């Protein structure tokens, strides 16, 4: 179809978060709580967070999320294997 298409470009290029993910200097990965807002109602968002957490685990990195919102998302984060949840 014709129209405008949006592309997430150059993922992993330069010193981006994805490249730094593999750097042995970092032992922990902290995820933004903004990635998780209303995640309980969005299965695609759940897949993304679950995948990032799984990637961190496979690279032997601990995971942390500062969380200050709703409990259903807190339960999902625990289920995904997040190591530390800084719950306010």
């Amino acid at each position: 179809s014709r129209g405008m298409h949006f592309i997430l470009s150059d993922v992993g290029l330069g010193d981006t978060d994805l490249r730094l993910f593999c750097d042995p200097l970092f032992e922990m990965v902290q995820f933004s709580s903004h990635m998780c807002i209303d995640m309980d109602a969005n299965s695609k968002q759940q897949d993304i967070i679950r995948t990032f957490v799984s990637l961190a685990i496979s690279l032997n990195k601990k995971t942390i999320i500062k969380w200050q919102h709703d409990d259903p998302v807190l339960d999902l984060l625990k289920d995904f294997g997040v190591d530390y949840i800084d719950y306010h």
Side-chain angles (χ1 to χ4, degrees):
S1 76
R2 295 183 179 234
M4 186 178 293
H5 297 273
F6 294 95
I7 299 171
L8 180 60
S9 178
D10 297 328
V11 173
L13 178 70
D15 289 330
T16 63
D17 292 343
L18 290 176
R19 183 165 172 244
L20 292 173
F21 219 90
C22 297
D23 193 316
L25 174 67
F26 300 101
E27 298 173 356
M28 295 186 75
V29 178
Q30 179 178 337
F31 297 98
S32 170
S33 63
H34 296 284
M35 293 175 61
C36 304
I37 295 173
D38 298 325
M39 181 177 66
D40 56 319
N42 186 330
S43 63
K44 288 182 182 180
Q45 195 175 1
Q46 290 176 32
D47 290 341
I48 291 168
I49 300 299
R50 184 185 304 109
T51 300
F52 276 136
V53 171
S54 179
L55 177 61
I57 291 169
S58 73
L59 295 170
N60 296 315
K61 304 207 184 279
K62 298 290 185 185
T63 54
I64 184 169
I65 294 181
K66 290 185 177 181
W67 190 244
Q68 55 193 7
H69 303 283
D70 53 352
D71 289 335
V73 171
L74 180 62
D75 293 336
L76 283 170
L77 295 173
K78 290 176 184 176
D79 290 344
F80 293 167
V82 174
D83 293 297
Y84 304 103
I85 301 171
D86 185 5
Y87 188 68
H88 296 261

